[in-house]
Amino acid sequence: MKTLVINAHPDFANHEHFSVQLQDKFLELYHTHFPENDLTIVNLYEEDIPRIESDSLWDVWDKQAAGKELSPSESKIAERSNFLLEQFKAHQRIVVSTPLHNFNITSRMKDYIDNLMIARETFRYLAAPDEQGKVSEGLMKDGYKMLMLFASGSVYTADNIYKSVDIAPHYMQTIFQEMMGFDDFQLVRAEGTATQDKDKILSSAFTDLEQEFRHFYQ
């Protein structure tokens, strides 16, 4: 099963980070079960990820919508964005390893998503709203699954103030499952990393990951 592993940590090569350790554990499980190694790893913070801003995606999309010719630099941006999209679509198993930054995903992960949420590629607009008022439907319905490996300094699953700002997993599930149409969204957490025992956090997270791994490749 073709698998795309996306490391969204700015310090992606530092294996002391909890999200990176979750990724390491995933890779260990993957290579144990799939020796053919049909896997691609993308470190977002060493990649060229076009952004929605002037002189980048904003100008490219504006010109494309108007049927205008792109400049050489804009053509390169368009080609790079399309490469990221096609690479993403070519893998039916998507793994995202990310820390929590200011209650949400990292900024580079958001930039990456902006290159994937393309009408008529990963979703399409409906002629009229459906019964729930939704004006689009996902096109990624052919057995796609996502596994989010997520590290946070605080605990967001307890009944405390942080529960109401558990935004990042909800956002990711909404984008990939609700908007793009993925069959499944799975989540493994290493939470409380700033306050709790490291070994206990990783032991619990690795146990969860082993269980989710089996389901991920069913």
Side-chain angles (χ1 to χ4, degrees), residues 156-170:
Y156 287 79
T157 56
D159 190 16
N160 58 29
I161 189 173
Y162 291 110
K163 189 174 183 179
S164 64
V165 290
D166 191 25
I167 299 167
H170 178 70

Side-chain angles (χ1 to χ4, degrees), residues 15-98:
H15 295 267
E16 291 299 312
H17 296 304
F18 284 85
S19 65
V20 179
Q21 290 185 65
L22 286 176
Q23 177 177 310
D24 290 342
K25 181 63 176 180
F26 173 85
L27 294 177
E28 176 188 319
L29 292 169
Y30 182 90
H31 291 304
T32 298
H33 289 81
F34 303 106
E36 67 274 14
N37 194 29
D38 197 3
L39 179 145
T40 302
I41 299 176
V42 175
N43 298 313
L44 293 184
Y45 280 86
E46 69 174 357
E47 296 286 341
D48 175 19
I49 310 293
R51 302 180 64 186
I52 300 180
E53 59 188 14
S54 296
D55 299 321
S56 190
L57 286 178
W58 184 266
D59 288 350
V60 168
W61 291 344
D62 190 48
K63 280 191 174 182
Q64 289 175 332
K68 296 180 179 179
E69 184 177 352
L70 300 179
S71 68
S73 61
E74 289 167 343
S75 293
K76 289 182 180 179
I77 292 168
E79 290 170 4
R80 177 60 182 168
S81 182
N82 188 66
F83 170 82
L84 295 172
L85 173 64
E86 293 303 321
Q87 180 189 56
F88 170 75
K89 290 170 61 178
H91 295 79
Q92 287 190 306
R93 294 294 180 271
I94 308 293
V95 180
V96 174
S97 165
T98 183

